[in-house]
Amino acid sequence: MLPAGRPVDDHINELQGLLAKGDIVVEGGNSYYREDIRHEQELEPFGIHYMDVGVSGGIWGLKLVTVDDRRRPGHL
């Protein structure tokens, strides 16, 4: 798990060069939802799916939070 903010941005940028159309990035951290929207929009033109399955409370994990995205691949 990465801390929210710049570390997540940096890793997504690095992954983008390694992933192919149809791949899925599952973000399991505690990023602010607007950052998740931005990440999804940045990856979408490349056909890379983004799904936020964050943990409320960060690394201390108070509860699991999933995003209901009807555009995600059916196998998730």
Side-chain angles (χ1 to χ4, degrees):
M1 180 180 291
L2 299 170
R6 177 107 187 181
V8 174
D9 291 345
D10 291 345
H11 277 77
I12 288 176
N13 287 337
E14 185 176 339
L15 283 173
Q16 184 177 341
L18 302 171
L19 299 174
K21 184 177 180 177
D23 285 343
I24 304 165
V25 173
V26 177
E27 203 274 78
N30 194 30
S31 293
Y32 186 53
Y33 80 96
R34 290 186 181 175
E35 294 298 308
D36 293 321
I37 292 168
R38 179 175 58 82
H39 293 142
E40 179 183 32
Q41 291 172 342
E42 290 173 350
L43 295 171
E44 190 174 34
F46 302 96
I48 300 169
H49 302 279
Y50 180 89
M51 184 173 183
D52 175 19
V53 184
V55 179
S56 178
I59 61 173
W60 299 277
L62 300 178
K63 71 177 188 175
L64 183 65
V65 179
T66 59
V67 173
D68 181 16
D69 182 356
R70 306 221 186 272
R71 294 172 293 161
R72 71 177 177 257
H75 57 279
L76 286 180

